Amino acid sequence: MSAIVVVGAATVDEILAVDHVPAEDEELRAAAWRTTVGGNAVNSALVLTQLGHRVELCAALGDDAQAALVRQTLAAAGVGTRFVPAGQAGPTPRSYVLLNRQTGSRTIVHHRGIAELGADALAAIDLGDADWLHLEARDVARERGWLAQVRRRWPALPVSLEIEKDRVEVDTLLALPDLIVVARRLASARGVGDAAALLGLWRAAGATGEL
């Protein structure tokens, strides 16, 4: 199977199952509660590992017990962490998720007490042995510079880019990846309802990757 490097967010998720999303100042009892690891990059890495691929994660963590939980969970699942920098001083990012049992909707409050990955952490990754690179579009200027560097150093390496939110200047990334993974909310933000229509908009903007 393939050797894949996944770069993006890692969080600890506190998930509360509720019968409805509470109104402001309402007190509500949760039907269930659990703590798990999350973040798009972590979720992608775990699924790819389950499919038999060899995966290395690169994500920012804090220096707390939650960071240890993330590392332990990844190690138990077989996800490599040699590209995860040493923990920053501060709390590992957390997401507090209200899961509506009636509709299945998720209301998420995210807290990030440490900085995103820096360009130096990304530049230090050796992709010489990788078969694929998967990256989240989080800091557009940083990702644009790093993807351009990847194209120069490893021009044959396939690259996929996940775009979840309609960030400022995110269209400047479109010509760099081979595969673009988008969230439904992004298509809705662009006023289209399906992947083909969104791809048409991006083709007009000069995108060359597949959607």
Side-chain angles (χ1 to χ4, degrees):
M1 301 298 280
S2 300
I4 303 174
V5 176
V6 178
V7 182
T11 67
V12 171
D13 293 349
E14 304 285 356
I15 302 174
L16 297 171
V18 295
D19 290 327
H20 65 273
V21 177
E24 184 174 352
D25 208 30
E26 177 184 356
E27 183 176 333
L28 181 66
R29 178 169 294 185
W33 164 83
R34 65 189 175 97
T35 299
T36 186
V37 299
N40 289 8
V42 167
N43 293 336
S44 296
L46 291 172
V47 170
L48 288 167
T49 301
Q50 291 169 10
L51 293 173
H53 297 290
R54 293 182 291 112
V55 183
E56 290 286 343
L57 177 72
C58 180
L61 296 175
D63 59 356
D64 53 3
Q66 283 68 42
L69 172 63
V70 174
R71 292 180 186 273
Q72 291 166 5
T73 302
L74 293 172
V79 177
T81 57
R82 61 192 175 102
F83 296 142
V84 176
Q88 299 181 34
T92 293
R94 281 206 186 196
S95 289
Y96 298 87
V97 184
L98 294 181
L99 176 61
N100 188 330
R101 298 199 303 168
Q102 304 300 318
T103 66
S105 70
R106 298 183 306 152
T107 301
I108 302 173
V109 178
H110 183 67
H111 176 261
R112 185 169 196 91
I114 58 173
E116 296 270 8
L117 285 169
D120 54 341
L122 301 178
I125 297 176
D126 183 0
L127 297 172
D129 296 328
D131 298 312
W132 194 284
L133 169 67
H134 179 69
L135 182 69
E136 284 184 67
R138 298 182 62 80
D139 182 320
V140 172
R142 178 195 63 186
E143 265 96 54
R144 185 169 58 238
W146 196 56
L147 279 170
Q149 182 184 98
V150 169
R151 287 308 194 196
R152 288 194 303 269
R153 297 179 63 186
W154 298 282
L157 179 66
V159 177
S160 55
L161 179 70
E162 178 181 354
I163 306 177
E164 183 181 28
K165 298 177 182 178
D166 198 6
R167 301 179 188 276
V168 176
E169 296 189 342
V170 73
D171 287 6
T172 63
L173 302 175
L174 299 180
L176 295 170
D178 300 287
L179 176 69
I180 301 169
V181 183
V182 299
R184 181 180 301 173
R185 72 168 67 177
L186 178 57
S188 298
R190 295 298 177 97
V192 296
D194 58 66
L198 182 60
L199 182 58
L201 291 178
W202 279 348
R203 288 282 192 234
T208 57
E210 294 298 323
L211 185 65

